[in-house]
């Protein structure tokens, strides 16, 4: 099975990694739209334009399935794209919503991009829970700049995490954030939800082919190469402008 996975940048690689560990016998093709990054402050119209090009690229590559490994796109445009392209498209948020609905916790924390939080997606689907949301617009740019270990990241995270109570469930509503999991847990004891992990555990894919992986980005530079190396050790990156 050939699976296309996309995000604004390297965040979706956290999802890809989980998919590969559950379903190693597939062919994966990844697209990170680094030229248009971040998606978190873009309008719905802009997101539709970017994603249209990515899906057409995946269709040319003859994928069997597309996974929207981006919380921002999943919350804002998934229902506009899901039946449009005659190829199955899966969003990253639904499995997490289903998981949260099945757990007893009444109070759920969500940290995400500006557009994800603005969409009120979690409030809409978790009506019987109290959702505490925080917009975290500074995190994706810092991660993409390779500044996970910077002082600015530390101060920014501390500020964003203030509103969450100890031991609370916190949804990492953006696929970049699992890269910050260790840092977050050092600041506050929370139960983190990694949406890529939840998705990979809950979808049912066939798993009988040869493993292949190809990583495309709309812009490749030295920082991206270094960042990706920390997630996928020896993978070649291809630059592809859509
Ligand atoms: N990984 C994307 C998400 O899940 C980041 C969006 C952005 O580029 O701001 O929302």
């Amino acid at each position: 099975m050939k699976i296309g996975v996309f995000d604004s940048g390297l965040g979706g690689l956290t999802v890809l990694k989980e998919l590969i560990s559950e379903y190693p016998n597939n062919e994966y093709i990844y697209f990170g739209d680094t030229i248009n990054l971040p998606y978190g402050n873009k309008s719905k119209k802009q997101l539709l334009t970017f994603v249209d090009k990515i899906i057409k690229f995946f269709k040319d590559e003859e994928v069997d399935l597309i996974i929207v490994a981006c919380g921002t796109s999943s919350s804002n445009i998934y229902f506009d794209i899901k039946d449009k392209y005659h190829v199955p498209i899966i969003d990253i948020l639904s499995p997490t919503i289903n998981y949260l609905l099945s757990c007893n916790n009444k109070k759920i924390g969500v940290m995400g991009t500006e557009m994800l939080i603005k969409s009120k997606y979690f409030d809409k689907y978790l009506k019987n829970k109290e959702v505490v949301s925080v917009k975290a617009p500074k995190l994706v740019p810092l991660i993409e700049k390779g500044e996970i270990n910077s002082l600015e990241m530390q101060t920014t995270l501390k500020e964003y995490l203030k509103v969450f109570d100890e031991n609370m469930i916190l949804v990492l509503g953006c696929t970049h954030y699992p890269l910050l999991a260790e840092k977050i847990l050092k600041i506050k004891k929370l139960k983190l939800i990694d949406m890529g992990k939840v998705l990979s555990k809950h979808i049912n894919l066939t798993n009988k082919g040869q493993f292949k992986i190809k990583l495309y980005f709309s812009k490749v530079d030295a920082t991206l190469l270094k960042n990706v190396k920390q997630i996928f050790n020896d993978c070649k990156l291809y630059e592809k402008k859509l």
Side-chain angles (χ1 to χ4, degrees):
M1 178 173 206
K2 192 167 179 182
I3 303 165
V5 178
F6 77 87
D7 181 35
S8 61
L10 58 84
L13 293 178
T14 64
V15 179
L16 183 59
K17 208 171 170 189
E18 299 299 337
L19 282 166
I20 294 171
S21 91
E22 284 293 319
Y23 298 99
N25 304 315
N26 278 313
E27 191 175 342
Y28 293 94
I29 168 163
Y30 183 82
F31 193 88
D33 196 8
T34 33
I35 217 164
N36 294 310
L37 183 113
Y39 275 11
N41 60 5
K42 301 296 189 296
S43 68
K44 203 174 145 168
K45 199 173 156 213
Q46 284 172 304
L47 292 175
L48 282 167
T49 310
F50 303 150
V51 169
D52 180 66
K53 289 186 186 163
I54 300 171
I55 295 179
K56 285 182 178 151
F57 165 64
F58 281 156
K59 285 206 71 171
D60 290 344
E61 292 286 322
E62 299 184 327
V63 302
D64 304 298
L65 171 72
I66 295 174
I67 295 180
V68 185
C70 170
T72 306
S73 308
S74 296
S75 54
N76 282 278
I77 59 164
Y78 178 64
F79 293 103
D80 301 278
I81 60 170
K82 86 180 192 24
D83 299 319
K84 198 174 158 189
Y85 296 91
H86 309 288
V87 59
I89 305 179
I90 291 179
D91 74 291
I92 187 75
L93 299 174
S94 310
T96 289
I97 293 287
N98 289 334
Y99 168 76
L100 293 171
L101 286 171
S102 73
C103 67
N104 292 328
N105 305 53
K106 276 269 161 255
K107 208 169 169 183
I108 309 286
V110 179
M111 186 160 74
T113 64
E114 195 184 332
M115 281 295 277
L116 174 117
I117 302 298
K118 256 195 190 162
S119 76
K120 298 213 172 292
Y121 188 96
F122 283 86
D123 310 72
K124 242 181 273 167
Y125 288 98
L126 300 175
K127 283 224 169 71
N128 58 341
K129 315 248 182 207
E130 185 193 338
V131 178
V132 181
S133 312
V134 163
K135 287 182 194 159
K138 291 186 186 162
L139 300 183
V140 169
L142 281 172
I143 293 170
E144 293 278 344
K145 274 195 267 168
E147 290 181 18
I148 288 184
N149 296 315
S150 67
L151 183 61
E152 191 182 352
M153 177 63 90
Q154 179 75 5
T155 341
T156 308
L157 268 180
K158 267 194 185 149
E159 187 58 37
Y160 290 151
L161 295 174
K162 260 187 192 158
V163 293
F164 304 117
D165 309 329
E166 284 274 313
N167 295 317
M168 192 172 174
I169 285 193
L170 173 64
V171 179
L172 303 173
C174 163
T175 53
H176 281 71
Y177 302 169
L179 299 169
L180 302 173
E182 264 179 47
K183 297 239 154 277
I184 293 173
L185 293 175
K186 272 195 190 136
I187 297 170
K188 203 168 259 185
K189 221 168 100 206
L190 295 157
K191 183 174 184 303
L192 302 180
I193 308 287
D194 176 334
M195 301 192 295
K197 276 201 173 107
V198 181
L199 173 106
S200 308
K201 291 259 178 279
H202 288 83
I203 47 170
N204 212 346
L205 300 179
T206 48
N207 189 32
K208 42 174 196 240
Q210 207 198 336
F211 174 69
K212 271 195 200 155
I213 181 171
K214 209 154 181 191
L215 307 179
Y216 289 94
F217 290 86
S218 46
K219 191 178 129 211
V220 176
D221 61 20
T223 311
L224 182 72
L225 282 169
K226 200 170 148 209
N227 289 340
V228 172
K229 229 180 160 34
Q230 275 156 24
I231 309 171
F232 284 100
N233 204 355
D234 46 21
C235 259
K236 195 168 161 9
L237 269 64
Y238 296 86
E239 189 171 78
K240 172 104 192 148
K241 293 209 168 60
L242 299 179

